[in-house]
Structure formats: C-alpha cells, structure tokens
Amino acid sequence: MTARLLARRGFLETALVGGAALLLPRWPVLRTLGDGARSRLADSRIDLLLDEPIATIAPEIYGHFAEHLGGVIYDGIWVGENSKIPNIGGIRKALVDALRPIKPSVMRWPGGCFADSYDWRDGVGPRTQRPRRNNFWSDDPAFRTLGNIPAKFDPNAFGTSEFLHFCRLVGAQPYLAVNLRSLPALAFTQWLEYCNSPAGSTTWSDVRAAAGDRDPFGVRYWGVGNESWGCGGNFTPEEYASEYRRFGVSAPEFGVDLQFIASGPNGGDLEWTRRFFGAMAERNGLDMVKGWALHHYSSAGDAGADAVAFDPRGWYDLVSSCDRMEGLITSHWQEMARADRGHRIKLVVDEWGAWHRTAPVADPAHLFESQSTMRDAVVAGLTLDTFNRHADKVAMANVAQLINCIHSLFLSHEEKFVTTPTYHVFAMYAAHQGARALRSVVSTPPTSWQAKDGTPRSQRGLNCSASARDRQVTLTVTNPALSEGRTTEITLRGGTIRLVKATTLASADVHAVNTFERPDAITPTLAEVAASGQSVVHTFPPASVTRLDIVLGA
Ligand code: AHR
C-alpha cells in the first residue's frame, strides 16, 4: 500500500472520560467512556505532570533565519519601495501580515556562510549609492546560466536599517551574525555604533540618523562568526577562541545587555565544544559567551531526497533523522558543563530544518528552495517539541530559512505568496512561547519501518511537549506514523480538565502541498470538547501535528 493510501485512513477522535458533551466538526466519534472502556480504547498514554515545571519556554525558541541566499532576501522579503507588489517601505506586505500573528520572536541575519563574507558598511547610507558585491553563494552551479541576478551580485538594497525595520514591523528581536572570517573586530565595533550608539555620539550613529533612524535600535543578540570550523574560516577550536576574544573584549555596550553567541560544533563534534570552552576558560574568557550555537539539518536518504515524491522509507528516514536533535542538545550540554558548571551559557540552535534536493518552485534563482509537505510539518513539530522539553537548556532556535529556501514557512515569487504546512505548525506552537514547560510521560507503541537493507527500525510512537500558563495547559503532539492513529488517554496529574480544544494539521495525502493556486490544501482543523475529571481520550491521526488547549477546572 502506498503512503498516500495509508494516510487516507486519517481520523480524529476525541472522547471524554467520565465527562460530558463533545463537539467535533470532522472525523467525529462522540462517546462518553467509563474506566473499562477507556483502557480498551487507548493504546497510548500521556501523563502531564502539572507540579513538575521544567523552565520557562524562551519565546526565542520560535525564531527565524534569513540569509542573503537565493530568493530569501530579494524576491522573498525585499521587493523594493517602487514595486507593484504591495510593500511597506520595500518589504513584502503579505509576509509582514502573515508573520505578525505567529509571533516571530527573533530573526537571524544576514547569514549563514554569507555573514562571514559580508561587509555591513556596504548596506547603509543612500540605497542608490550602495555598491554591488559578489554574493558568497554566486558560484553555485544552479546560478551558472542566470546572468547578473541579485542572488549572485548583491545590490545591497537590503542592509542593516532595512533588516531592522523588518524586525520592527513583525515584532521580532534582531540577531545579527558578525563577520569574523574576513573583517577585523574594529568593523564589528563600528556596526555596534551604527545600531546602538545614541544619535549625535558617533559618526556611524549620524549615518543611521541621516537614513531616518534617530533612535538607536538597541540590538542585543550578536553571533560572532558562523560555522567557524567550515565556511566561517576553517579554524581549529583554539584559533577560533582566540579570534573570538578580539570581538568580545571591550565591545561597547551603549546601555544594551549584549548577548554574544559563539559558533558551535559541526553536528555531534564534542571535541569542538570541549576545546573551545577549554581555550576560553584558560584565558578567563567564558564571560564573553552567552550562547553556544548548534546547527542540525535533517535529511533523508535517496528514497526521500525529493521534497514531494518520497516513498514511505523516505518519510521515515527524514522524520527519524530529526530525532538526532535531542542527543545533540544533551551531549553538548553535558560537555559544556565541564567548563561552565553552573550552565550560565545556554544553547542556541540557530540553524535547523529539513533539507531536501533543491527544486525551485517558480524561480530558478531560489537556491535550496523546495516545496513542503506534511513530512516537513512533522519534522517541525518533533523539533519544536524537543526544544520545549529542553527549555532549561535551549535559549533560542532559528528555523532555516524563512522564505523561498530550506524548510521555509513561506514561498513567494513576484506578487505570488503562500504559506507552507510548517507555517501552520509555528502558528499552532506559538502558544508555548513564554509559558512554563511541564514534564510529561509518554507510553506508546513504537513506530516501525524497514531500512533500505531490510533492517527493522523504529522510533517513538508519539512525541510531545506541554506547557502551562494561568489556567490553561497547551499540549502539542506529533504522530510520525504513516498509517496508525494513536488513541491516547491524556491524564492531568495535579489538576482537572474543563474543556479541550483540538487544532489538528493532517492531510489525507501526505504528498499534498500548498501552492500559489491552491494555498489552503493543508490547513489546520478545529474541534472542541467539554470535559470534567482528570483524563480525556483523543486519537492523533497518522502523520499529524496536533495542539490541545486544555482549560483547567477550578
Ligand atoms: O542554511 C544554509 C547554510 O547552511 C548556511 O549558510 C550555513 O551556515 C549552513 O551550512
């Protein structure tokens, strides 16, 4: 049976345990159950421990990343003030309108690898006088036949002030990635002056004010280098630590609580973490580090490399590869403790996402772009749940990348614009921002499949995270199985349930995508159930992401 046929069995069933009425607009099964019926019905359990908070979920976990790469900036964010495409000061209006409701807490820019080749001074002052520069990605074979497009030769129309205006428009804090490989520390000090020094104090603050921004921007987050073991300079950890200190020592604060983020390892390279922390500690430099960056891209083998035409093995290869995030977080966290016993330094997963074979949707200049299906939505749900469960360790995360690229929330070309299933996951999970993460205990049969060589493989059958705020608990659950729904008894330990609202993202066809012509092929559905007692039974459909809003009883 194909994945498509299997997924057609999708259903949602919410039943009340020892309670009252139900209201379900789709796939309804209305039942009030006694204890015997409950245990017969459920194959899984989730216990939510109200009295065991983990930490506050940093809103910054729900952050984004926009690099000067392919169609992210030009055609994605920036359309220009004189464009016929509706815009706010040159920024695509549809993007601003779609971002605001999902509370994009933080936005990383201008790279990625691009950052370590970028001179921020090229992107300030009058736009007509800005230079055109070779883009870091210009030699990609995908660009060979494409002429002098902005993705190859950056016109610098979108620079620091344009980016900071974009952040203001959508309500995100800016996170600037500093060029450590090809600019000296002095250029960084001057970038700080441009962004944060009071009007009239420095020449760079005058340049900012002349462009219309008298008040400083007060940028807090600064990434010092990117992938410094690779495109960011190919340094050893000790070399990187010594470069880092040039940037960290006596950076002017201008009254801002600066947060410097250091470039972490290549995946699971614990030696990079151990040696950087060791080298910094040796020079009493750890105080210059507030965040330790991790990057992890999920990818599937040959059966799943195509973003849309994957087979069941391609589905499982991808959704299981994102499970690696948990181990990366815990292993690096443990390693960091050797030098930072009190865990003053937190993890910043400033690049994560599902990376498929490039397949531009409407414009060949959109490097690394591909469509998104429920498979990508499930990766997003699994990953965000992992961050929530480690809210005591993860201070920020940035999905790569915002628009027209890897694991994007949006696709656009000229006046066309659409949101992907991943966008809906971010909208659903926004409720966790700033809430208290709760410990949860999941018992569920594993999801199993066969690897290419026939080896049996399995992963957790259900994945979830929970948080509480006031009298409400938010439970998000991902079911990665292609064919099995999971009927689950959810029990509140330490409270009672009054009402449950379910928001479900699922599709009868796991290969379906939202297109410019059919933008709502995959959108969430809503259901509501009145309840009483401690437990509720809910069926999580196959290949789905669900949010349950649980209103607590008195
Ligand atoms: O997100 C694309 C690229 O992936 C980034 O520029 C780089 O940091 C990473 O290797």
Side-chain angles (χ1 to χ4, degrees):
M1 220 184 315
T2 65
R4 179 183 304 231
L5 283 173
L6 290 167
R8 277 189 195 286
R9 291 196 196 148
F11 62 102
L12 178 146
E13 170 189 305
T14 298
L16 178 65
V17 179
L22 303 167
L23 172 64
L24 294 173
R26 221 175 140 190
W27 306 301
V29 176
L30 308 182
R31 262 185 287 185
T32 301
L33 302 171
D35 280 351
R38 167 175 62 193
S39 51
R40 279 199 305 279
L41 184 73
D43 63 15
S44 302
R45 288 181 63 94
I46 299 177
D47 285 3
L48 301 176
L49 312 182
L50 279 185
D51 298 326
E52 291 197 32
I54 300 169
T56 298
I57 297 174
E60 288 84 351
I61 283 177
Y62 292 84
H64 301 273
F65 170 38
E67 178 167 4
H68 285 241
L69 189 169
V72 179
I73 303 297
Y74 302 108
D75 201 22
I77 300 173
W78 182 256
V79 296
E81 281 175 310
N82 301 323
S83 170
K84 64 178 192 313
I85 302 164
N87 68 84
I88 308 173
I91 293 161
R92 184 184 285 277
K93 183 173 180 306
L95 176 63
V96 172
D97 291 344
L99 268 172
R100 277 181 180 151
I102 68 164
K103 300 197 259 173
S105 52
V106 63
M107 190 75 64
R108 178 176 184 239
W109 176 85
C113 294
F114 174 85
D116 275 301
S117 65
Y118 178 62
D119 189 337
W120 68 271
R121 294 166 295 199
D122 292 340
V124 298
R127 271 198 287 277
T128 49
Q129 290 166 30
R130 296 185 193 172
R132 242 173 313 129
R133 301 282 188 218
N134 184 63
N135 181 293
F136 173 87
W137 299 99
S138 66
D139 283 339
D140 192 280
F143 287 150
R144 213 165 276 151
T145 56
L146 294 185
N148 296 340
I149 54 172
K152 277 167 80 173
F153 303 108
D154 197 312
N156 280 299
F158 190 81
T160 301
S161 290
E162 289 78 12
F163 171 68
L164 295 173
H165 291 160
F166 174 51
C167 288
R168 250 186 213 159
L169 280 173
V170 301
Q173 293 192 71
Y175 168 19
L176 297 181
V178 175
N179 180 344
L180 172 129
R181 172 172 59 79
S182 57
L183 281 184
L186 183 62
F188 167 47
T189 308
Q190 292 171 353
W191 203 8
L192 273 163
E193 288 178 5
Y194 182 86
C195 294
N196 292 353
S197 69
S201 66
T202 65
T203 299
W204 284 115
S205 72
D206 293 345
V207 177
R208 182 193 71 227
D213 290 297
R214 197 181 148 69
D215 291 337
F217 289 107
V219 177
R220 282 180 76 212
Y221 294 118
W222 299 85
V224 183
N226 170 75
E227 298 192 348
S228 300
W229 40 265
C231 66
N234 207 14
F235 294 117
T236 66
E238 292 78 15
E239 287 166 349
Y240 172 56
S242 114
E243 291 300 319
Y244 185 98
R245 288 194 298 271
R246 290 180 206 273
F247 286 70
V249 171
S250 74
E253 289 182 4
F254 301 117
V256 177
D257 176 23
L258 299 176
Q259 308 279 310
F260 288 172
I261 293 145
S263 164
N266 183 2
D269 182 3
L270 291 172
E271 198 181 327
W272 176 271
T273 298
R274 182 175 54 75
R275 284 171 54 189
F276 174 83
F277 273 64
M280 290 299 277
E282 206 176 284
R283 309 292 303 183
N284 296 323
L286 277 179
D287 282 354
M288 295 174 210
V289 185
K290 288 281 163 47
W292 185 234
L294 291 184
H295 291 180
H296 175 51
Y297 288 99
S298 315
S299 59
D302 52 353
D306 192 286
V308 179
F310 50 85
D311 67 9
R313 188 158 49 78
W315 168 281
Y316 287 117
D317 280 351
L318 187 79
V319 298
S320 61
S321 101
C322 81
D323 261 3
R324 186 157 176 246
M325 185 65 83
E326 184 124 43
L328 289 176
I329 291 171
T330 52
S331 58
H332 287 286
W333 186 250
Q334 216 176 339
E335 195 60 53
M336 287 153 69
R338 288 169 183 256
D340 179 30
R341 286 179 195 282
H343 279 305
R344 199 189 42 76
I345 302 169
K346 305 289 185 212
L347 289 166
V348 170
V349 188
D350 57 15
E351 289 185 29
W352 68 269
W355 197 329
H356 309 300
R357 189 183 296 138
T358 301
V361 174
D363 185 338
H366 291 188
L367 189 61
F368 303 154
E369 181 180 77
S370 57
Q371 253 296 1
S372 278
T373 64
M374 270 312 297
R375 187 172 61 150
D376 302 281
V378 165
V379 168
L382 288 168
T383 307
L384 293 171
D385 281 331
T386 304
F387 296 151
N388 290 341
R389 289 197 305 271
H390 293 283
D392 52 334
K393 308 176 187 71
V394 182
M396 189 199 292
N398 309 75
V399 61
Q401 298 201 13
L402 184 70
I403 182 166
N404 299 339
C405 196
I406 307 158
H407 209 160
S408 293
L409 280 74
F410 310 98
L411 300 172
S412 71
H413 181 50
E414 296 172 348
E415 70 287 353
K416 295 180 192 141
F417 178 82
V418 69
T419 57
T420 67
T422 298
Y423 170 79
H424 295 300
V425 175
F426 271 78
M428 288 160 66
Y429 278 57
H432 284 302
Q433 292 191 22
R436 263 176 308 121
L438 295 180
R439 218 167 287 289
S440 51
V441 180
V442 184
S443 338
T444 181
T447 298
S448 309
W449 71 101
Q450 282 196 339
K452 194 176 180 185
D453 60 3
T455 319
R457 295 195 56 197
S458 65
Q459 74 173 111
R460 231 181 296 184
L462 284 179
N463 207 293
C464 76
S465 69
S467 67
R469 191 194 327 255
D470 305 327
R471 302 297 302 156
Q472 181 150 326
V473 169
T474 300
L475 171 66
T476 44
V477 181
T478 299
N479 180 359
L482 273 173
S483 53
E484 301 100 34
R486 293 271 176 237
T487 298
T488 307
E489 182 180 348
I490 299 152
T491 303
L492 275 192
R493 303 284 171 201
T496 54
I497 304 172
R498 188 162 62 79
L499 184 77
V500 181
K501 292 180 197 162
T503 308
T504 306
L505 192 67
S507 169
D509 176 2
V510 291
H511 302 109
V513 296
N514 289 342
T515 61
F516 298 133
E517 297 72 32
R518 228 182 130 220
D520 294 328
I522 303 177
T523 47
T525 54
L526 305 178
E528 193 170 301
V529 48
S532 62
Q534 276 196 298
S535 300
V536 66
V537 173
H538 182 85
T539 297
F540 298 100
S544 67
V545 182
T546 302
R547 183 183 83 201
L548 297 182
D549 299 313
I550 303 172
V551 180
L552 302 184

